[in-house]
Amino acid sequence: MSDTVQAKAPVLSVEGLSIALPEGGDRPFAVENVSFEVKPNEVVCLVGESGSGKSMIAHAVLSLLPKSVNIAAGAVTVAGQNPAKLDRQALRRLRGGEAAMIFQEPLSSLNPLKRVGRQIEEMILTHQKPMPSAIEVHERVQQLLTQVGLPNPKLLEKSYPFELSGGQRQRVMIAMAMANRPALLIADEPTTALDVTTQRQILRLIDDLRRDRGMGVLLITHDFGVVADVADRVVVLRHGKVVEQGTVEEVLRNPKAEYTRELIDAVPKARLDEIRRTAVHPTPLLEVIGLEKTFRVKRGLLQPPREVVAADGISLTLHEGETLAVVGESGSGKSTLGRMIMRLTEPDGGAIRFNGQDLRRLRGEALRQARKQLQIVFQDPFASLDPRQKVGDAIARGPMAFGTSRTEAMELARKLLVRVGLNAVAADRYPHEFSGGQRQRICIARALALKPRVLIADEAVSALDVSVQAQVLALLAELRQEMKLAMIFITHDLRIAAEIADRVIVLQKGRIVEEGATADVFTAPQAAYTRDLLDAIPGRDFFDQPGFASVTGALPTARMSS
Amino acid sequence: MDATRAFLRHPSGMVGLVVLLVVVVIALIAPIVFPVSPWEMVSAPFTPPGEDGLLLGGDTLGRDVAAGVAYGARVSLVIGIASAMAAMVIGVTIGAISGYFGGKVDLVLMRMTELFQTIPAFVLAILLVATFNPSLLTIILTIGAVSWPPLARLTRAEFLRLRNREFVEAALCQGEGTLRIVLGHILPNAISPILVVTSLTVATAILLESALSFMGLGDPNLMSWGFMIGAGRTVIRNAWWMSVFPGLAILITVLAINLFGEGLSDVLNPRVSRRRS
């Protein structure tokens, strides 16, 4: 095979692809008349919101579509072959050989019962003919693990997936994908489940490998920040149709389609100049003093229990009408903090003072009364509504538990549903009839039904599409004003924190590493960790954010782009 | 209802349901078809099937085997369903308390459950029935008392899975009481597997009752399948029909309930039913 000829032809071309959905779906085609190409040494981003059909296309490329959907028209060509027309043998050679794929959730893509070294070996052994010797394979595994930047490959190849962190697992997945030097790498939301700093490392790794090997990359994402950082060309999808495609510069600087513009506008941009400074009341509404919490995970009989410090002397204050963002990566203890304030998780030590009483001393009825004034909105809008309870009931239950009559409570529920932007008739429907964003609105309505004074939003918009995210954030900002709510906004996304908060607390391993007014934290971060976090925000260069300039200037070497 | 419609399309589940309905109808119309008591001697002893107007023959005392099978269906169904209900009430209560509260309560209740699980159910049942006078009520309670541990374990597991779910925590934050949370939020979401296991418990309860009656520990006033097999067992070489027909009745009924239970399980398990549709 002559590489020079191959290098010019696209590694992937999708021409007029239409994928039919089974009858009774919400639309006849998952994707309709989609055409694009991926050339060698090129990163093409497929961008769209959930349900836009972007993953469908990726699955069609490797002929992984579920049985109930099939290609209605058009063709996919991967390295000169049409996967839909290949027999099983040839298809197996293509998958993991010419074209490799990595997925969003690395934990569920790895076999939990096999050491990662074995899993990579398997990848090589199924594809290399003639079968290489055991020593060669082993060397190759070591080499791959080193290439994907994993420390101590000798130890690592003997680990099981559960022993690795999310970022390490994704690196192992990438090593597997790289095992047979594919011409095309398909990455389906490879960093969505990862922290920002890890995200940046993984994206950089993919970018480096791409450049080393001249590989074509099809990157599927919903995040325009990621697009701005790594893509050469962009394909914007909506409802299965291509809305716009072109180079990054064209599409992001001068979007032609209205929809693309909306999506780009919806990216939280930390408009620091718009931030309001509220007049602070002298006495805080909520005061957390020296909160401690350590989780002990039992291991084997003889091993000492593993300790995870979730809170190590956390103190904070929250005033009426103020919004405090708690930011940090997964495992920093930010969700535990919210749960401890709600008394859903019992702290080991410290005090939580709300309106003069110590919440930690409250039991039974007194706790119930206090909880009424503190409400929480959870991250996953699908898990936080009882699937067997009508939406109206879900909202009305709270007031009813405090003695409001059913008719009055239902009246309030309908009013709240309208207030959060839904229809009053939604009250008689079940949660599964609503989309993620709508469900989150329902959860907000439920939390507000008890007229709380403090609202804790635990990653409340993280599971939503960007455009929906922007709407829900706007709603929260309005409600905050209207009901004089104090808010604790827990998030891993610094852009969102900057958008909504008056003050920010940065958590790392259960400790507050930085605390201050939003503008100060974002423009003049004191802690190195805060700078790392800020620097890892995807698309920083592109969405030139007013306040961020100084950080970027201060740390030019730590940047992602070439 | 979606589940009902899905069940109607489930082949083996429907077979089970239809057979079960036939058994229920037989039990219901038994006094109409056989106006004479099954204890009444209506022909010569050892009448073979088909002779003397007896469809399934007569037993050692000349009692109608067909009447016995029909009346036995009433006993088996009543005992099977009632004792499964008893087992469900005991098992769900213990499992729910154990799973929801956890900690020491859980420890004590689960050790107690294990105690019941380690004693063979049938031996315990014999012991209990022999201690109390065998009657319909004591048999039902006995079978209930030995059949609840699997239900308790299942309920506990479901409660453990659900009690930390966000919608339960949301209800807690909304100020709803413990009982409301358990009955209104957790139990409705845990009920599907509990129903399935309860339906299968009906089958084992029928078998237990038959075994007890076979050993002569049944209610002496009730003609049951187990009793008939027990009475006919000594003469099985010259009069097979006395044990075979009630035996077939047990086999068919238990099989039907198992098919129904499995069908229910497939339909109520969202992952399986979605794959089907």
Side-chain angles (χ1 to χ4, degrees), chain B residues 160-185:
Chain B
L160 283 178
R161 180 175 70 86
L162 290 165
R163 63 169 276 200
N164 287 326
R165 290 287 283 277
E166 287 172 352
F167 67 83
V168 175
E169 292 185 335
L172 191 70
C173 295
Q174 293 258 279
E176 292 187 38
T178 306
L179 200 64
R180 259 226 63 84
I181 290 176
V182 169
L183 297 180
H185 292 287

PDB file of all heavy atoms in Angstrom, chain B residues 160-185:
ATOM      1  N   LEU B 160     -32.471  -0.543  49.353  1.00  0.00           N
ATOM      2  CA  LEU B 160     -31.100  -0.031  49.413  1.00  0.00           C
ATOM      3  C   LEU B 160     -30.767   0.717  48.134  1.00  0.00           C
ATOM      4  O   LEU B 160     -30.121   1.752  48.132  1.00  0.00           O
ATOM      5  CB  LEU B 160     -30.108  -1.177  49.597  1.00  0.00           C
ATOM      6  CG  LEU B 160     -30.002  -1.773  50.993  1.00  0.00           C
ATOM      7  CD1 LEU B 160     -29.020  -2.929  50.985  1.00  0.00           C
ATOM      8  CD2 LEU B 160     -29.557  -0.709  51.991  1.00  0.00           C
ATOM      9  N   ARG B 161     -31.245   0.160  47.018  1.00  0.00           N
ATOM     10  CA  ARG B 161     -30.966   0.772  45.720  1.00  0.00           C
ATOM     11  C   ARG B 161     -31.664   2.127  45.610  1.00  0.00           C
ATOM     12  O   ARG B 161     -31.110   3.080  45.074  1.00  0.00           O
ATOM     13  CB  ARG B 161     -31.487  -0.163  44.616  1.00  0.00           C
ATOM     14  CG  ARG B 161     -31.290   0.319  43.199  1.00  0.00           C
ATOM     15  CD  ARG B 161     -31.739  -0.756  42.220  1.00  0.00           C
ATOM     16  NE  ARG B 161     -33.174  -0.946  42.195  1.00  0.00           N
ATOM     17  CZ  ARG B 161     -34.006  -0.235  41.447  1.00  0.00           C
ATOM     18  NH1 ARG B 161     -33.559   0.729  40.702  1.00  0.00           N
ATOM     19  NH2 ARG B 161     -35.298  -0.476  41.474  1.00  0.00           N
ATOM     20  N   LEU B 162     -32.884   2.207  46.136  1.00  0.00           N
ATOM     21  CA  LEU B 162     -33.699   3.394  45.893  1.00  0.00           C
ATOM     22  C   LEU B 162     -33.563   4.474  46.973  1.00  0.00           C
ATOM     23  O   LEU B 162     -33.786   5.636  46.707  1.00  0.00           O
ATOM     24  CB  LEU B 162     -35.175   3.002  45.782  1.00  0.00           C
ATOM     25  CG  LEU B 162     -35.557   2.208  44.534  1.00  0.00           C
ATOM     26  CD1 LEU B 162     -36.916   1.572  44.708  1.00  0.00           C
ATOM     27  CD2 LEU B 162     -35.562   3.114  43.308  1.00  0.00           C
ATOM     28  N   ARG B 163     -33.180   4.077  48.199  1.00  0.00           N
ATOM     29  CA  ARG B 163     -33.305   5.061  49.286  1.00  0.00           C
ATOM     30  C   ARG B 163     -32.366   6.250  49.133  1.00  0.00           C
ATOM     31  O   ARG B 163     -32.641   7.332  49.651  1.00  0.00           O
ATOM     32  CB  ARG B 163     -33.099   4.412  50.639  1.00  0.00           C
ATOM     33  CG  ARG B 163     -31.716   3.844  50.819  1.00  0.00           C
ATOM     34  CD  ARG B 163     -31.504   3.466  52.243  1.00  0.00           C
ATOM     35  NE  ARG B 163     -31.084   4.661  52.980  1.00  0.00           N
ATOM     36  CZ  ARG B 163     -30.472   4.624  54.133  1.00  0.00           C
ATOM     37  NH1 ARG B 163     -30.243   3.475  54.708  1.00  0.00           N
ATOM     38  NH2 ARG B 163     -30.084   5.711  54.731  1.00  0.00           N
ATOM     39  N   ASN B 164     -31.244   6.076  48.416  1.00  0.00           N
ATOM     40  CA  ASN B 164     -30.353   7.211  48.225  1.00  0.00           C
ATOM     41  C   ASN B 164     -30.526   7.866  46.866  1.00  0.00           C
ATOM     42  O   ASN B 164     -29.717   8.694  46.464  1.00  0.00           O
ATOM     43  CB  ASN B 164     -28.900   6.789  48.419  1.00  0.00           C
ATOM     44  CG  ASN B 164     -28.601   6.535  49.876  1.00  0.00           C
ATOM     45  OD1 ASN B 164     -29.166   7.207  50.745  1.00  0.00           O
ATOM     46  ND2 ASN B 164     -27.763   5.562  50.157  1.00  0.00           N
ATOM     47  N   ARG B 165     -31.580   7.456  46.146  1.00  0.00           N
ATOM     48  CA  ARG B 165     -31.832   8.108  44.867  1.00  0.00           C
ATOM     49  C   ARG B 165     -32.267   9.547  45.110  1.00  0.00           C
ATOM     50  O   ARG B 165     -32.842   9.871  46.147  1.00  0.00           O
ATOM     51  CB  ARG B 165     -32.931   7.354  44.107  1.00  0.00           C
ATOM     52  CG  ARG B 165     -32.460   6.005  43.616  1.00  0.00           C
ATOM     53  CD  ARG B 165     -31.513   6.140  42.442  1.00  0.00           C
ATOM     54  NE  ARG B 165     -32.262   6.422  41.246  1.00  0.00           N
ATOM     55  CZ  ARG B 165     -32.845   5.473  40.512  1.00  0.00           C
ATOM     56  NH1 ARG B 165     -32.742   4.225  40.848  1.00  0.00           N
ATOM     57  NH2 ARG B 165     -33.523   5.787  39.440  1.00  0.00           N
ATOM     58  N   GLU B 166     -31.967  10.377  44.117  1.00  0.00           N
ATOM     59  CA  GLU B 166     -32.191  11.805  44.326  1.00  0.00           C
ATOM     60  C   GLU B 166     -33.662  12.151  44.549  1.00  0.00           C
ATOM     61  O   GLU B 166     -33.973  13.056  45.301  1.00  0.00           O
ATOM     62  CB  GLU B 166     -31.598  12.592  43.164  1.00  0.00           C
ATOM     63  CG  GLU B 166     -30.085  12.583  43.255  1.00  0.00           C
ATOM     64  CD  GLU B 166     -29.392  13.174  42.052  1.00  0.00           C
ATOM     65  OE1 GLU B 166     -30.082  13.458  41.066  1.00  0.00           O
ATOM     66  OE2 GLU B 166     -28.167  13.332  42.116  1.00  0.00           O
ATOM     67  N   PHE B 167     -34.568  11.411  43.902  1.00  0.00           N
ATOM     68  CA  PHE B 167     -35.966  11.805  44.103  1.00  0.00           C
ATOM     69  C   PHE B 167     -36.439  11.505  45.525  1.00  0.00           C
ATOM     70  O   PHE B 167     -37.312  12.185  46.049  1.00  0.00           O
ATOM     71  CB  PHE B 167     -36.892  11.207  43.033  1.00  0.00           C
ATOM     72  CG  PHE B 167     -37.057   9.709  43.068  1.00  0.00           C
ATOM     73  CD1 PHE B 167     -37.972   9.124  43.926  1.00  0.00           C
ATOM     74  CD2 PHE B 167     -36.333   8.906  42.213  1.00  0.00           C
ATOM     75  CE1 PHE B 167     -38.146   7.760  43.941  1.00  0.00           C
ATOM     76  CE2 PHE B 167     -36.497   7.533  42.220  1.00  0.00           C
ATOM     77  CZ  PHE B 167     -37.408   6.961  43.093  1.00  0.00           C
ATOM     78  N   VAL B 168     -35.815  10.488  46.141  1.00  0.00           N
ATOM     79  CA  VAL B 168     -36.158  10.203  47.536  1.00  0.00           C
ATOM     80  C   VAL B 168     -35.589  11.300  48.432  1.00  0.00           C
ATOM     81  O   VAL B 168     -36.261  11.794  49.344  1.00  0.00           O
ATOM     82  CB  VAL B 168     -35.619   8.813  47.941  1.00  0.00           C
ATOM     83  CG1 VAL B 168     -35.853   8.569  49.416  1.00  0.00           C
ATOM     84  CG2 VAL B 168     -36.274   7.738  47.106  1.00  0.00           C
ATOM     85  N   GLU B 169     -34.365  11.716  48.146  1.00  0.00           N
ATOM     86  CA  GLU B 169     -33.764  12.796  48.930  1.00  0.00           C
ATOM     87  C   GLU B 169     -34.527  14.097  48.738  1.00  0.00           C
ATOM     88  O   GLU B 169     -34.690  14.872  49.669  1.00  0.00           O
ATOM     89  CB  GLU B 169     -32.301  12.965  48.528  1.00  0.00           C
ATOM     90  CG  GLU B 169     -31.488  11.765  48.970  1.00  0.00           C
ATOM     91  CD  GLU B 169     -30.011  11.923  48.705  1.00  0.00           C
ATOM     92  OE1 GLU B 169     -29.670  12.695  47.794  1.00  0.00           O
ATOM     93  OE2 GLU B 169     -29.229  11.276  49.403  1.00  0.00           O
ATOM     94  N   ALA B 170     -34.991  14.295  47.506  1.00  0.00           N
ATOM     95  CA  ALA B 170     -35.782  15.506  47.239  1.00  0.00           C
ATOM     96  C   ALA B 170     -37.039  15.482  48.096  1.00  0.00           C
ATOM     97  O   ALA B 170     -37.429  16.496  48.678  1.00  0.00           O
ATOM     98  CB  ALA B 170     -36.127  15.596  45.758  1.00  0.00           C
ATOM     99  N   ALA B 171     -37.690  14.315  48.196  1.00  0.00           N
ATOM    100  CA  ALA B 171     -38.900  14.210  49.014  1.00  0.00           C
ATOM    101  C   ALA B 171     -38.587  14.492  50.477  1.00  0.00           C
ATOM    102  O   ALA B 171     -39.354  15.146  51.179  1.00  0.00           O
ATOM    103  CB  ALA B 171     -39.506  12.816  48.858  1.00  0.00           C
ATOM    104  N   LEU B 172     -37.418  14.020  50.919  1.00  0.00           N
ATOM    105  CA  LEU B 172     -36.984  14.272  52.286  1.00  0.00           C
ATOM    106  C   LEU B 172     -36.813  15.777  52.511  1.00  0.00           C
ATOM    107  O   LEU B 172     -37.279  16.326  53.498  1.00  0.00           O
ATOM    108  CB  LEU B 172     -35.651  13.545  52.514  1.00  0.00           C
ATOM    109  CG  LEU B 172     -35.148  13.456  53.940  1.00  0.00           C
ATOM    110  CD1 LEU B 172     -36.020  12.509  54.731  1.00  0.00           C
ATOM    111  CD2 LEU B 172     -33.713  12.973  53.952  1.00  0.00           C
ATOM    112  N   CYS B 173     -36.167  16.428  51.542  1.00  0.00           N
ATOM    113  CA  CYS B 173     -35.955  17.872  51.660  1.00  0.00           C
ATOM    114  C   CYS B 173     -37.267  18.636  51.601  1.00  0.00           C
ATOM    115  O   CYS B 173     -37.370  19.752  52.077  1.00  0.00           O
ATOM    116  CB  CYS B 173     -35.034  18.373  50.550  1.00  0.00           C
ATOM    117  SG  CYS B 173     -33.389  17.711  50.658  1.00  0.00           S
ATOM    118  N   GLN B 174     -38.252  18.038  50.964  1.00  0.00           N
ATOM    119  CA  GLN B 174     -39.558  18.688  50.869  1.00  0.00           C
ATOM    120  C   GLN B 174     -40.338  18.557  52.160  1.00  0.00           C
ATOM    121  O   GLN B 174     -41.467  19.024  52.254  1.00  0.00           O
ATOM    122  CB  GLN B 174     -40.373  18.029  49.754  1.00  0.00           C
ATOM    123  CG  GLN B 174     -39.792  18.264  48.395  1.00  0.00           C
ATOM    124  CD  GLN B 174     -40.541  19.316  47.663  1.00  0.00           C
ATOM    125  OE1 GLN B 174     -41.577  19.062  47.086  1.00  0.00           O
ATOM    126  NE2 GLN B 174     -40.051  20.521  47.718  1.00  0.00           N
ATOM    127  N   GLY B 175     -39.792  17.851  53.121  1.00  0.00           N
ATOM    128  CA  GLY B 175     -40.450  17.724  54.408  1.00  0.00           C
ATOM    129  C   GLY B 175     -41.457  16.593  54.491  1.00  0.00           C
ATOM    130  O   GLY B 175     -42.288  16.560  55.382  1.00  0.00           O
ATOM    131  N   GLU B 176     -41.409  15.663  53.542  1.00  0.00           N
ATOM    132  CA  GLU B 176     -42.338  14.545  53.633  1.00  0.00           C
ATOM    133  C   GLU B 176     -41.884  13.574  54.720  1.00  0.00           C
ATOM    134  O   GLU B 176     -40.693  13.394  54.947  1.00  0.00           O
ATOM    135  CB  GLU B 176     -42.426  13.825  52.283  1.00  0.00           C
ATOM    136  CG  GLU B 176     -43.096  14.684  51.235  1.00  0.00           C
ATOM    137  CD  GLU B 176     -43.347  13.942  49.936  1.00  0.00           C
ATOM    138  OE1 GLU B 176     -43.687  12.748  49.998  1.00  0.00           O
ATOM    139  OE2 GLU B 176     -43.207  14.550  48.887  1.00  0.00           O
ATOM    140  N   GLY B 177     -42.868  12.944  55.386  1.00  0.00           N
ATOM    141  CA  GLY B 177     -42.553  12.043  56.494  1.00  0.00           C
ATOM    142  C   GLY B 177     -42.017  10.711  55.999  1.00  0.00           C
ATOM    143  O   GLY B 177     -42.153  10.371  54.831  1.00  0.00           O
ATOM    144  N   THR B 178     -41.417   9.961  56.945  1.00  0.00           N
ATOM    145  CA  THR B 178     -40.803   8.683  56.595  1.00  0.00           C
ATOM    146  C   THR B 178     -41.807   7.730  55.942  1.00  0.00           C
ATOM    147  O   THR B 178     -41.531   7.132  54.898  1.00  0.00           O
ATOM    148  CB  THR B 178     -40.241   8.016  57.857  1.00  0.00           C
ATOM    149  OG1 THR B 178     -39.380   8.947  58.496  1.00  0.00           O
ATOM    150  CG2 THR B 178     -39.464   6.765  57.528  1.00  0.00           C
ATOM    151  N   LEU B 179     -42.985   7.603  56.553  1.00  0.00           N
ATOM    152  CA  LEU B 179     -43.977   6.658  56.040  1.00  0.00           C
ATOM    153  C   LEU B 179     -44.398   7.028  54.624  1.00  0.00           C
ATOM    154  O   LEU B 179     -44.505   6.195  53.741  1.00  0.00           O
ATOM    155  CB  LEU B 179     -45.188   6.645  56.988  1.00  0.00           C
ATOM    156  CG  LEU B 179     -46.063   5.404  56.854  1.00  0.00           C
ATOM    157  CD1 LEU B 179     -45.281   4.177  57.260  1.00  0.00           C
ATOM    158  CD2 LEU B 179     -47.313   5.554  57.702  1.00  0.00           C
ATOM    159  N   ARG B 180     -44.597   8.323  54.400  1.00  0.00           N
ATOM    160  CA  ARG B 180     -44.989   8.795  53.072  1.00  0.00           C
ATOM    161  C   ARG B 180     -43.895   8.503  52.048  1.00  0.00           C
ATOM    162  O   ARG B 180     -44.176   8.127  50.923  1.00  0.00           O
ATOM    163  CB  ARG B 180     -45.229  10.312  53.092  1.00  0.00           C
ATOM    164  CG  ARG B 180     -46.668  10.705  53.162  1.00  0.00           C
ATOM    165  CD  ARG B 180     -46.975  11.807  52.149  1.00  0.00           C
ATOM    166  NE  ARG B 180     -46.754  11.327  50.788  1.00  0.00           N
ATOM    167  CZ  ARG B 180     -47.645  10.655  50.081  1.00  0.00           C
ATOM    168  NH1 ARG B 180     -48.822  10.389  50.575  1.00  0.00           N
ATOM    169  NH2 ARG B 180     -47.369  10.259  48.843  1.00  0.00           N
ATOM    170  N   ILE B 181     -42.658   8.704  52.452  1.00  0.00           N
ATOM    171  CA  ILE B 181     -41.546   8.466  51.519  1.00  0.00           C
ATOM    172  C   ILE B 181     -41.481   6.988  51.171  1.00  0.00           C
ATOM    173  O   ILE B 181     -41.377   6.604  50.015  1.00  0.00           O
ATOM    174  CB  ILE B 181     -40.209   8.947  52.129  1.00  0.00           C
ATOM    175  CG1 ILE B 181     -40.203  10.480  52.198  1.00  0.00           C
ATOM    176  CG2 ILE B 181     -39.026   8.453  51.302  1.00  0.00           C
ATOM    177  CD1 ILE B 181     -38.987  11.071  52.856  1.00  0.00           C
ATOM    178  N   VAL B 182     -41.623   6.142  52.213  1.00  0.00           N
ATOM    179  CA  VAL B 182     -41.532   4.701  51.977  1.00  0.00           C
ATOM    180  C   VAL B 182     -42.697   4.213  51.126  1.00  0.00           C
ATOM    181  O   VAL B 182     -42.508   3.539  50.120  1.00  0.00           O
ATOM    182  CB  VAL B 182     -41.480   3.945  53.326  1.00  0.00           C
ATOM    183  CG1 VAL B 182     -41.669   2.458  53.110  1.00  0.00           C
ATOM    184  CG2 VAL B 182     -40.157   4.210  54.018  1.00  0.00           C
ATOM    185  N   LEU B 183     -43.904   4.582  51.511  1.00  0.00           N
ATOM    186  CA  LEU B 183     -45.081   4.068  50.795  1.00  0.00           C
ATOM    187  C   LEU B 183     -45.335   4.797  49.478  1.00  0.00           C
ATOM    188  O   LEU B 183     -45.830   4.224  48.530  1.00  0.00           O
ATOM    189  CB  LEU B 183     -46.333   4.171  51.680  1.00  0.00           C
ATOM    190  CG  LEU B 183     -46.290   3.327  52.952  1.00  0.00           C
ATOM    191  CD1 LEU B 183     -47.578   3.506  53.745  1.00  0.00           C
ATOM    192  CD2 LEU B 183     -46.079   1.859  52.618  1.00  0.00           C
ATOM    193  N   GLY B 184     -44.994   6.080  49.447  1.00  0.00           N
ATOM    194  CA  GLY B 184     -45.345   6.877  48.278  1.00  0.00           C
ATOM    195  C   GLY B 184     -44.261   6.925  47.211  1.00  0.00           C
ATOM    196  O   GLY B 184     -44.547   7.129  46.035  1.00  0.00           O
ATOM    197  N   HIS B 185     -43.001   6.780  47.605  1.00  0.00           N
ATOM    198  CA  HIS B 185     -41.932   6.938  46.620  1.00  0.00           C
ATOM    199  C   HIS B 185     -41.124   5.666  46.398  1.00  0.00           C
ATOM    200  O   HIS B 185     -40.847   5.297  45.277  1.00  0.00           O
ATOM    201  CB  HIS B 185     -40.983   8.062  47.040  1.00  0.00           C
ATOM    202  CG  HIS B 185     -41.613   9.414  46.990  1.00  0.00           C
ATOM    203  ND1 HIS B 185     -41.888  10.048  45.797  1.00  0.00           N
ATOM    204  CD2 HIS B 185     -42.049  10.233  47.957  1.00  0.00           C
ATOM    205  CE1 HIS B 185     -42.452  11.215  46.057  1.00  0.00           C
ATOM    206  NE2 HIS B 185     -42.568  11.344  47.359  1.00  0.00           N
TER     207      HIS B 185
END
